[in-house]
Amino acid sequence: MEKSLSYRNSYHDNLHRYAGLKRFFERWSADPDFKQDLINNTAETLEKHAIPITPDDIKYMIDDRITELPQPVQTMWEISKSKQDLIQSFYLSENLPGNRGMLAWRNRQIARQRFDLGPFFTDTNIHSSMTVELSQGCSVGCWFCALSPDSFKENYNYDDNREEWLRLLDTMHSFLGDAMKSTFLYWATEPFDNPDYEKFCLDVYESCGVFPPTTTAVAHKDTERIRHFIRLSAEHGCWLNRFSLTSLGIMSKVHKAFSAEELAEVECLALNMNTSFAYGNAGNFRKKALERPEILSQQDNKLRKAPWHRLNPDYAGSEEYANGSICCVTGFLINAVSRKVQLISPTTASDEWPLGYIIFAEAIYENAAGLEAILQAWSIEYFKETLQDNDILRFHPWLDVRVLPDRIEIKGRFNQKEIIDETDNPSLYHLAKHITEAPVRFADIRQYAAAHLSIPSHVSDSLINELYKKGFFYGC
C-alpha cells in the first residue's frame, strides 16, 4: 500500500516557513491584552511569549495609522485558504465511501447541513466517515464541551484487544473503502487518556495508509510523550494535529515547552473565554447558555465580527447562532470499550439532539461479524439512493416552508432558499404542498399524484426523490 500522502503540499511547507508568525496569531486571537503589551514594548513581549519574529514583522498589526491589509494577515489568510483547499480535495472529493448507498446518504446529509448549519460550516467541515473512541469517558472535563462526556471510566487496552481491533478495522475498511482514510480516534474523549493511543494510530495507518489527525487538551502535561507523538505523526504523513488550549496559562506553558518550529504543523486552538474563537452551542455549553443567555450573546458577538459571517448577507441577516454544532462526522461513531456503534450526522443542537448531531441508529456489536451484520441492516434502512414505499415524508420542523399561491419557499436557518415555482413546475408544487399538509408515506403520495393530479408514478417518484436528495425530509 502506498504510504506517502500526496496531499501534503504547500500548506505544510508554509506552516514551517511562517511558524513564528503562526505562533504570533495564536496569541493574538487568544489574548485581548496582547496588542497593548506589544505597543508598550514589542520586543520584550515577543520574547516573553516565545514568539520568534522581529518587531518589523508585525508592525502593521499594532500601528492603527496603517489602514491597508497587513502582509502578515494576507500571509496567514493564504495559508488558511490552502488548508481549506486540502480539506475540499481530501475529504470531499477523493476519499468517499465505496458503498453507493452510504455515499448517497452522506450527500443528503451534507445537503441538509447547508440549510441547517449554513454554508460556512458545511464547506469547512471534513464530514469524516468514521471515528472511534478508545476510552469510556474523558479525564479533562471542559465546562464548555459540546459533546458532554461522562467522567473517565475505562480504556480500551491494546494488548488485550489487538486481534479484535484489527478485525474491526478490516470490517470497516471493507465497507467504507477509501473513506476509511478520513478516520480519527477520539470523540467525547481525550485521546491521550489511552496509554496505547499511538499504537492504535499506527494500525489505522497500516490499514488505509493515513495516520489519523489528533486533537488533545493535555499537551501541557506529558510534554515528552506529546513531543514524540508530533514526530511520529509527521514521519507518517499526518496532515494535522490540534492542541485545545483552555486558558492563557496553558497556552503559555505549551509555547514555552515547544518551539514554534516543533508546533508548525499543530493548530494551537485557543479556547479560553476571551478568545476570538466562539464555542459550539451544544452539550455542556448549551446547558450553561440556557441558564445564562448572556454567555451565548457574548459568543454570538464574536461570530458576527468574523469576515465569513459579517460579509455574508445570509449570515448577517439571520438571528440564528452560527455555531450550533462541533460535529465533524457524517458516518459512524464507535466506542471500542462499550462496543456501541452509532450512525450520526451534524445538526444544530436542540432539545431533541442536544449534542449537535442526529443519531439515526445505534446498536451493540459483539464482534466483527456482528458489526458487519449491523452495517448490512443499516444499508437497507438508511443507505439507499431513493425513497422506499414505507418512508414517511415530512419536512424538517426547523425549515421555514411557506406555501404561497404561485410558489413554495423552503428557507433554512441562514436564509438559504429553495423555490418551487407553480408555473415552472406545477407537479412538484402540488406534491410538495400535499406533504406540508400532513406527513405521508411515499407509496401514498404516489397514489395521490395519480388519482388527483394525473401524474404518472415514475414522474412523481422522480420529483419527490429530488427533494429527498436535497435533505429536506425529517428522519431521512
Side-chain angles (χ1 to χ4, degrees):
M1 177 182 294
E2 179 66 42
K3 294 290 187 1
S4 61
L5 301 183
S6 60
Y7 64 87
R8 286 182 62 86
N9 54 22
S10 60
Y11 166 67
H12 299 89
D13 294 338
N14 283 331
L15 286 176
H16 286 277
R17 183 179 178 185
Y18 298 104
L21 195 58
K22 167 181 168 291
R23 174 165 290 193
F24 168 83
F25 278 103
E26 288 167 357
R27 193 80 197 188
W28 182 274
S29 67
D31 187 350
D33 297 325
F34 185 50
K35 181 176 180 179
Q36 188 59 51
D37 292 342
L38 287 167
I39 293 171
N40 293 341
N41 194 322
T42 307
E44 182 179 304
T45 301
L46 293 174
E47 182 179 357
K48 172 186 174 182
H49 294 296
I51 300 173
I53 58 177
T54 68
D56 284 344
D57 292 330
I58 49 92
K59 62 183 178 181
Y60 300 108
M61 300 298 295
I62 59 176
D63 189 342
D64 292 335
R65 295 170 298 179
I66 302 174
T67 57
E68 64 191 61
L69 181 67
Q71 185 57 46
V73 175
Q74 181 66 32
T75 297
M76 298 311 294
W77 175 257
E78 291 170 358
I79 291 174
S80 178
K81 178 63 169 60
S82 63
K83 175 192 172 184
Q84 187 55 35
D85 290 344
L86 187 156
I87 289 174
Q88 289 285 330
S89 174
F90 183 74
Y91 289 99
L92 302 181
S93 301
E94 298 173 11
N95 298 305
L96 304 178
N99 180 287
R100 284 184 57 181
M102 183 179 178
L103 178 59
W105 175 83
R106 180 181 188 267
N107 288 339
R108 284 196 302 277
Q109 303 315 314
I110 293 174
R112 169 189 53 77
Q113 289 168 47
R114 187 167 294 278
F115 279 71
D116 185 354
L117 289 152
F120 181 80
F121 179 96
T122 306
D123 293 341
T124 57
N125 198 313
I126 65 173
H127 304 287
S128 171
S129 291
M130 184 173 80
T131 186
V132 183
E133 295 178 311
L134 301 171
S135 305
Q136 191 77 47
C138 177
S139 68
V140 182
C142 297
W143 70 270
F144 54 81
C145 182
L147 301 176
S148 297
D150 294 330
S151 298
F152 174 80
K153 294 182 178 64
E154 183 181 357
N155 275 317
Y156 188 64
N157 182 274
Y158 184 83
D159 292 335
D160 293 344
N161 296 292
R162 183 172 185 271
E163 187 174 340
E164 173 187 86
W165 165 247
L166 294 178
R167 285 200 296 266
L168 182 152
L169 292 182
D170 286 344
T171 298
M172 296 308 300
H173 196 184
S174 295
F175 186 84
L176 290 173
D178 284 344
M180 182 75 174
K181 295 178 181 180
S182 69
T183 297
F184 58 97
L185 301 179
Y186 58 92
W187 188 245
T189 51
E190 165 51 55
F192 289 101
D193 279 347
N194 194 308
D196 300 316
Y197 178 68
E198 294 87 341
K199 297 177 182 178
F200 290 107
C201 288
L202 287 169
D203 284 342
V204 171
Y205 174 77
E206 290 300 320
S207 173
C208 65
V210 173
F211 194 96
T214 294
T215 298
T216 177
V218 298
H220 57 296
K221 292 187 175 180
D222 188 346
T223 55
E224 285 310 304
R225 181 185 180 188
I226 298 298
R227 180 172 284 106
H228 178 266
F229 179 79
I230 291 171
R231 295 195 192 105
L232 179 72
S233 60
E235 289 167 1
H236 290 81
C238 180
W239 82 273
L240 177 72
N241 290 305
R242 293 190 304 181
F243 292 171
S244 295
L245 308 178
T246 57
S247 72
L248 288 176
I250 289 176
M251 174 176 280
S252 295
K253 287 181 181 179
V254 167
H255 282 180
K256 183 177 180 180
F258 301 93
S259 70
E261 173 61 25
E262 284 180 303
L263 298 186
E265 296 184 25
V266 178
E267 281 189 355
C268 290
L269 186 60
L271 295 175
N272 55 299
M273 192 65 171
N274 292 323
T275 180
S276 59
F277 177 85
Y279 300 120
N281 187 26
N284 288 347
F285 178 82
R286 182 170 179 268
K287 289 180 182 178
K288 288 279 188 184
L290 289 172
E291 297 168 1
R292 297 175 54 195
E294 71 274 12
I295 296 178
L296 183 62
S297 179
Q298 292 168 1
Q299 299 300 307
D300 188 47
N301 288 336
K302 294 180 186 179
L303 286 175
R304 292 181 184 277
K305 293 175 183 177
W308 60 265
H309 193 298
R310 177 169 45 85
L311 301 177
N312 185 322
D314 288 340
Y315 279 108
S318 173
E319 295 182 1
E320 290 275 348
Y321 184 76
N323 193 10
S325 174
I326 67 165
C327 177
C328 58
V329 171
T330 293
F332 302 104
L333 165 58
I334 298 174
N335 185 281
V337 178
S338 66
R339 294 181 173 82
K340 178 189 286 187
V341 56
Q342 297 176 313
L343 181 65
I344 69 171
S345 184
T347 189
T348 296
S350 63
D351 290 345
E352 183 180 14
W353 306 116
L355 301 183
Y357 57 89
I358 302 168
I359 303 174
F360 290 88
E362 65 180 34
I364 302 296
Y365 62 91
E366 293 186 9
N367 49 39
L371 179 58
E372 186 173 3
I374 291 167
L375 297 179
Q376 295 309 316
W378 289 357
S379 292
I380 296 171
E381 186 169 0
Y382 299 100
F383 300 152
K384 53 199 177 189
E385 297 180 71
T386 57
L387 288 159
Q388 304 301 305
D389 284 354
N390 288 324
D391 288 331
I392 303 297
L393 307 182
R394 54 184 171 180
F395 289 103
H396 291 288
W398 46 264
L399 284 171
D400 182 8
V401 183
R402 299 184 182 184
V403 180
L404 302 172
D406 61 341
R407 67 190 185 280
I408 293 176
E409 295 182 354
I410 303 173
K411 189 169 75 170
R413 298 182 192 274
F414 300 98
N415 298 313
Q416 293 73 38
K417 285 185 180 180
E418 178 83 7
I419 305 295
I420 303 173
D421 191 279
E422 197 274 340
T423 301
D424 293 341
N425 200 335
S427 296
L428 182 57
Y429 173 86
H430 289 287
L431 290 172
K433 180 181 178 182
H434 187 62
I435 295 172
T436 67
E437 294 168 354
V440 59
R441 283 197 324 139
F442 184 54
D444 293 339
I445 201 169
R446 182 188 299 128
Q447 293 178 1
Y448 171 83
H452 298 278
L453 304 174
S454 300
I455 301 174
S457 60
H458 71 277
V459 174
S460 62
D461 284 4
S462 177
L463 291 171
I464 297 301
N465 272 302
E466 285 304 308
L467 297 180
Y468 175 60
K469 291 176 183 177
K470 293 177 180 179
F472 289 143
F473 295 136
Y474 179 84
C476 296

